[in-house]
Amino acid sequence: MRTEPAEISRDLVAGILEEHWGFRAAEVTYAPVGFGSHHWIASDTDGPRWFVTADQRGPQVEAAMRTAKELADRGHEFVVAPLADLDGRLVRELLTGWTVSVLPYLHGWSTPDGAWDDPAEREQIARIVGRLHATTAPESLQRWDFAVPDRDALLAALEDLKRPWSAGPYSEPARLRLAGAHAYVHSMLDHYDALAREVDASDEPWVVTHGEPHSANVLRTADGAMRLVDWETVRLAPRERDLKAVLGGPTDVLPAYQSEAGPVSPRAAALELFDVWWSVAEIASYIRLFREPHVESEDSKESWRELTEYLPG
């Protein structure tokens, strides 16, 4: 997120690091990266640095962090896993409704968007995803469900298009945008439900999936390695959940994936399912956001830009 949350001070971040992790941070700076969670970089005067993440995604974050830690402990070096605190816990409550986790700070770079434009990198991530899909599911792994987050909020918004929305600067533009596309949204929901029934009826085994292995979630380190970050979305799910972000482009990387995952091929209906799921989930999330109180900020501006990409005007 681009805007530092007012309710979380840097002193609070430094305090929880020292109290629960035993890390003394001489400096804490906000890192305006990613979208969804908030991040800080904490540094000690002697050199150690940590990457601190806070979000409001609820208890599922703790299970996801346990899964990431177990995957890393198995030797999957591409997993950037959280650091346990002094009590062995991976997630702590920061404030009511907020959880915090601490990760090692790694030097590297990622792209600002999710596109895999480099064929060699696309092949490398295909092999990594293949390794992930071939691993045995940890006991802590949560099962993905077919629910679209904020679907109820989106349906409520579709029933509330006749009167102005006034919760914030993007409320009324969002209402007008949704009003012009209401038939499109309903058809997307119906299509998604049909795809979900088809995929759910399949006997194809589910695998460990990262959920968002796009280019912006991959850190390239100085030694040329790729490290996957943002494991909050790790779930047992159809393999196409990850493959939709990896396959495609000018180079066929399916053989690279199969060299690690085995002789399996993606199903067209499942790939389409996750494409539609992503679009509907993004629309629902931003519509919910703009029906709630909000202010003009870099984050709300970016959210509006994202909504206009998914919702035709």
Side-chain angles (χ1 to χ4, degrees):
M1 301 292 281
R2 307 295 187 267
T3 306
E4 188 170 5
E7 59 266 53
I8 301 177
S9 70
R10 299 182 187 185
D11 287 342
L12 178 60
V13 173
I16 201 166
L17 275 175
E18 183 168 4
E19 178 182 358
H20 293 291
W21 275 267
F23 299 155
R24 301 197 68 177
E27 182 180 7
V28 176
T29 57
Y30 186 69
V33 295
F35 206 74
S37 301
H38 294 275
H39 309 285
W40 295 260
I41 297 172
S43 309
D44 193 353
T45 53
D46 296 331
R49 305 175 83 183
W50 307 280
F51 194 76
V52 183
T53 295
D55 59 42
Q56 296 175 290
R57 288 190 246 193
Q60 68 270 20
V61 172
E62 187 163 2
M65 292 299 96
R66 288 199 304 272
T67 296
K69 181 69 164 56
E70 182 170 341
L71 291 171
D73 289 345
R74 290 181 184 179
H76 293 305
E77 73 288 342
F78 55 83
V79 179
V80 180
L83 301 170
D85 71 3
L86 298 173
D87 296 323
R89 296 177 58 178
L90 301 173
V91 176
R92 282 280 180 179
E93 184 178 62
L94 182 62
L95 294 171
T96 301
W98 288 89
T99 58
V100 63
S101 56
V102 180
L103 296 98
Y105 181 86
L106 301 176
H107 291 280
W109 62 276
S110 63
T111 63
D113 59 32
W116 288 105
D117 297 323
D118 185 321
E121 285 195 342
R122 187 187 292 273
E123 183 170 328
Q124 190 174 352
I125 193 63
R127 293 183 186 276
I128 289 173
V129 169
R131 284 182 59 195
L132 177 64
H133 289 183
T135 197
T136 303
E139 290 186 5
S140 57
L141 182 62
Q142 303 167 93
R143 185 179 177 86
W144 183 81
D145 60 37
F146 288 88
V148 175
D150 297 315
R151 178 171 182 157
D152 288 344
L154 176 59
L155 292 174
L158 287 165
E159 295 297 320
D160 188 30
L161 294 173
K162 294 183 179 179
R163 62 183 182 87
W165 297 351
S166 57
Y170 292 97
S171 297
E172 185 61 2
R175 181 187 73 86
L176 294 173
R177 190 92 180 188
L178 184 60
H182 68 94
Y184 169 78
V185 173
H186 278 297
S187 68
M188 284 187 71
L189 289 169
D190 291 342
H191 185 43
Y192 174 76
D193 290 341
L195 289 168
R197 288 190 294 270
E198 180 178 349
V199 174
D200 193 28
S202 169
D203 59 2
E204 184 76 14
W206 288 17
V207 298
V208 182
T209 63
H210 175 276
E212 299 180 11
H214 52 67
S215 183
N217 274 343
V218 173
L219 189 72
R220 288 80 161 170
T221 56
D223 60 0
M226 284 185 170
R227 307 287 298 276
L228 267 166
V229 300
D230 285 355
W231 286 87
E232 289 85 355
T233 55
V234 62
R235 297 291 187 276
L236 184 72
R239 67 183 70 251
E240 291 85 357
R241 183 174 184 240
D242 285 343
L243 289 177
K244 73 173 183 63
V246 173
L247 300 181
T251 303
D252 180 11
V253 297
L254 182 58
Y257 170 77
Q258 292 171 329
S259 70
E260 300 288 346
V264 292
S265 297
R267 298 160 293 168
L271 287 172
E272 186 177 5
L273 169 86
F274 287 105
D275 272 335
V276 177
W277 180 91
W278 184 270
S279 296
V280 174
E282 290 290 279
I283 292 170
S285 172
Y286 295 127
I287 290 296
R288 178 193 57 78
L289 172 67
F290 291 137
R291 292 191 76 208
E292 296 175 349
H294 63 277
V295 297
E296 181 73 45
S297 69
E298 288 301 313
D299 289 333
S300 61
K301 186 184 301 182
E302 176 65 14
S303 296
W304 172 251
R305 188 192 67 78
E306 290 281 342
L307 177 62
T308 59
E309 284 195 4
Y310 289 101
L311 197 60

